[in-house]
Amino acid sequence: MTAEPALNAARPEEERAELLRWIREELHAEYGDRHLDPRREPMHELISTILSQRTTWQDEAAAYDELCEIGDWDAIIAAPTEAVAHAIRRSNYPESKAPRIQETLRRLRDSPGSYTLEFLRDMPSKDAMKWLTDLPGVGVKTASLVLLFNYAHPVFPVDTHVHRITTRVGAIALMGEQAAHRALLKVLPEDPPFLYELHLNLLRHGQQVCSWSRPRCGLCVLRGRCDAFSIFGGQVPSFSETVKAKGKGAEKPE
């Protein structure tokens, strides 16, 4: 009897690194070039990403716009926390995010670059990551987005789409989003344009094809090398079911 081929998730790091390079090529062919240009200025990126946690992009944008109606960053710091929470009410958990945003702004105001964040550009990536994640409400994903998108640091943001697809394909084993940042960086090149394009194309693929509950495997350009497709065919379960089945080995996402 011929043995079944090993799943990607069980393969050594060099083979999973090659798999990620292949994924990048396939998604590049599907979705095109993604040039590493900041989509918005650093402070906007930072505050909007805090607002985006568990929130749709439309509500994130609306919350950010109304927050800015309070005034500049100093005015937001000085405003009653209840007023900040009201301004960002379109974002989920505004009562928790409002004091974190105000405290983050206070620390930034007193930082080496004040509200510019430009001092992060030449800081070693490890140190820049620690500086940002020491801010209240700033996790690894938020810090990675700011550092990669605005300052071309070789870090890799892992959002829900990146996490889901890389787990299903088998580039990493099932783990929480925070652990996935570390696991993926071990097998990805230190190449900011590569990392930027891969992140954005995985995001788009997750929105359009490899969805949370009903992945459209028949349309997926990655299915030929996907662990989940090799196991389930066109009946890949929801990601919730996958996490539940593995249960005890999965960490909670950021």
Side-chain angles (χ1 to χ4, degrees):
M1 176 182 272
T2 304
E4 291 291 327
L7 294 176
N8 294 320
R11 295 180 185 275
E13 287 184 3
E14 59 269 22
E15 293 185 29
R16 289 183 289 113
E18 185 278 325
L19 175 65
L20 284 162
R21 291 192 295 271
W22 175 82
I23 290 171
R24 185 257 181 183
E25 291 169 2
E26 292 298 309
L27 296 182
H28 178 94
E30 186 75 0
Y31 301 120
D33 292 323
R34 300 291 188 133
H35 298 291
L36 181 46
D37 297 313
R39 60 181 177 176
R40 47 200 182 190
E41 63 91 21
M43 284 296 297
H44 187 167
E45 189 71 56
L46 176 64
I47 301 303
S48 280
T49 307
I50 294 173
L51 290 170
S52 74
Q53 294 161 11
R54 305 295 185 264
T55 300
T56 67
W57 70 265
Q58 296 98 330
D59 286 341
E60 168 208 323
Y64 181 84
D65 289 344
E66 190 158 345
L67 176 67
C68 291
E69 289 178 10
I70 293 175
D72 62 12
W73 303 126
D74 289 326
I76 294 169
I77 291 171
T81 301
E82 295 79 8
V84 175
H86 179 76
I88 64 171
R89 63 193 179 279
R90 290 279 296 275
S91 173
N92 283 328
Y93 312 111
E95 297 83 4
S96 299
K97 292 176 181 176
R100 291 173 183 168
I101 288 171
Q102 287 182 301
E103 180 58 25
T104 288
L105 290 172
R106 287 188 192 98
R107 295 194 196 180
L108 290 170
R109 178 190 60 195
D110 300 331
S111 71
S114 187
Y115 299 123
T116 68
L117 297 182
E118 283 301 306
F119 67 95
L120 295 172
R121 185 180 301 278
D122 298 320
M123 186 180 284
S125 297
K126 183 178 179 181
D127 296 340
M129 181 70 70
K130 183 179 187 310
W131 195 93
L132 283 169
T133 54
D134 281 345
L135 297 172
V138 178
V140 176
K141 179 180 71 175
T142 299
S144 297
L145 283 166
V146 172
L147 292 175
L148 176 61
F149 284 29
N150 293 101
Y151 300 115
H153 279 265
V155 295
F156 190 61
V158 178
D159 63 12
T160 184
H161 302 291
V162 171
H163 182 224
R164 181 171 68 253
I165 297 169
T166 54
T167 300
R168 279 176 172 161
V169 174
I172 55 172
L174 179 64
M175 61 188 73
E177 287 180 25
Q178 188 161 336
H181 281 90
R182 297 188 294 271
L184 284 166
L185 279 177
K186 291 178 69 175
V187 289
L188 283 167
E190 293 188 5
D191 180 350
F194 180 107
L195 298 171
Y196 179 82
E197 180 179 292
L198 180 61
H199 171 85
L200 289 185
N201 283 339
L202 283 169
L203 176 100
R204 185 169 178 183
H205 196 64
Q207 292 170 332
Q208 297 184 1
V209 178
C210 193
S211 56
W212 182 277
S213 57
R214 297 189 181 198
R216 304 168 70 191
C217 298
L219 302 178
C220 183
V221 297
L222 306 180
R223 67 182 182 274
R225 295 183 67 179
C226 176
D227 279 358
F229 187 78
S230 72
I231 295 169
F232 300 105
Q235 302 298 317
V236 172
S238 74
F239 202 58
S240 299
E241 293 177 77
T242 301
V243 171
K244 185 177 179 179
K246 299 288 184 178
K248 296 178 181 179
E251 300 174 8
K252 292 181 180 179
E254 178 189 326

